[in-house]
Structures are given as C-alpha cells and as structure tokens.
Amino acid sequence: MLPEVKNVEKRIYMPKPTPSMEDYIELVFNLIQTKGYARVTDLAETLEVHPSSVTKMIQKLDRDGYVHYEKYRGFVLTDKGTKVGKRLLFRHELLEDFLGIIGVEEDRIYEDVEGIEHHLSWNAIDRIADLVQYFNNDPERFKNLAAIIEASKETESSM
C-alpha cells in the first residue's frame, strides 16, 4: 500500500491571456488607476467596439480569473488581474520609452507599441528594460545615440 500524500497542491493549467485579453486587462487596470473604476461603456468607447462585445470578453476574463463580474453590477480586477494588468501597463510604457529613446517619431510611438507589444517575450521585455535603464543612467548616452540617429537620417535623405 502506498503512503498517503498530504498537502499536495493540485496544479491547474491556466492558459496565458490572448493578445485581445491582454488589451482588455491593460485597459481595465489603467482605467482603475486613473479614474478609480472601469465600466463596460468606457471600454467600448476606448476600444471602439460594441458594449456586447466588451461584456462577452469581461465574462471570459471572469471565467479565467482576471476579473470578478456580476451581471448588472459591474466588474473589478482580481488579484491575478491586477498583477497581470500592472505588468502589461509596465510593458506598454516601457516600449513607449524605448521607441522614444531610439528616435521613433512621437506620433508613431503608440501605434507601433500596439503593433509589437504582444509579439515580444517577457525575456525580450526585460532586456529592453535593461537597455532603457542603461540610457537613463547616463544622459551622455542619449546624446551619442541622437548623433547616430541624425547621421543615419542624413544618409537616408541623400539617397
């Protein structure tokens, strides 16, 4: 007879959020941070989708443990949702900083971040964070990079 094993934690596979789920979690987290709350109408307006689409996604996020949703009463982020939302907002802001450092035009940064943020591994994000910190630690590095970028633009325009 095998001995009884006590205190065994059951592991449940929790899939990573999809890019669409990440967009919702990040937006909900950001709205709660800035306004103190998030509503279906806020999400629908920001994402330019129908409120019914937002409700479906919120229900999915509820099933996956990112929000606590009650019909007709609204929703709040769970601890898990807050943790993920904080990390997603960090990623977004980091990529905006990074693209600004490397000279991407200001009016392109948001759109470019939206285009790449879901396609980078967290390892890549951590390395980008190291690089941003590297530049922030010494303003002279910004000047050196700016000179390289300017020389590159001059070369491009002469072609």
Side-chain angles (χ1 to χ4, degrees):
M1 177 181 271
L2 295 173
E4 183 179 335
V5 179
K6 295 183 181 183
N7 298 326
V8 174
E9 187 179 319
K10 289 186 179 179
R11 302 239 180 224
I12 300 172
Y13 173 72
M14 294 298 288
K16 290 174 33 178
T18 65
S20 181
M21 291 168 70
E22 285 185 347
D23 286 339
Y24 276 83
I25 295 167
E26 179 184 344
L27 181 55
V28 169
F29 180 81
N30 196 19
L31 285 169
I32 290 172
Q33 294 297 303
T34 56
K35 293 174 61 172
Y37 61 90
R39 300 175 308 179
V40 167
T41 54
D42 298 324
L43 297 173
E45 287 174 12
T46 303
L47 297 171
E48 298 179 348
V49 297
H50 291 285
S52 60
S53 298
V54 173
T55 300
K56 286 179 186 175
M57 178 59 81
I58 294 299
Q59 289 169 339
K60 179 170 179 38
L61 293 173
D62 180 60
R63 284 191 305 273
D64 289 353
Y66 296 104
V67 301
H68 178 70
Y69 170 73
E70 291 184 36
K71 192 172 184 177
Y72 306 118
R73 297 189 55 113
F75 57 92
V76 294
L77 287 170
T78 61
D79 289 342
K80 174 182 173 181
T82 299
K83 181 179 175 183
V84 171
K86 187 180 291 186
R87 184 79 167 140
L88 294 173
L89 186 60
F90 163 79
R91 176 181 71 186
H92 188 98
E93 291 173 347
L94 172 72
L95 290 172
E96 285 184 347
D97 291 346
F98 174 69
L99 293 181
I101 287 170
I102 64 171
V104 173
E105 295 170 1
E106 185 73 29
D107 62 339
R108 294 278 319 148
I109 289 177
Y110 181 82
E111 188 176 324
D112 285 351
V113 168
E114 287 297 312
I116 65 173
E117 67 183 340
H118 302 293
H119 302 286
L120 295 171
S121 69
W122 284 106
N123 180 260
I125 295 297
D126 290 340
R127 299 301 64 82
I128 291 170
D130 294 340
L131 188 59
V132 168
Q133 183 177 2
Y134 171 81
F135 279 97
N136 287 335
N137 286 343
D138 184 356
E140 193 64 30
R141 294 172 183 153
F142 284 109
K143 293 177 188 172
N144 294 339
L145 181 59
I148 292 168
I149 292 169
E150 190 58 37
S152 174
K153 287 179 181 177
E154 289 174 9
T155 302
E156 289 172 4
S157 66
S158 67
M159 295 182 143

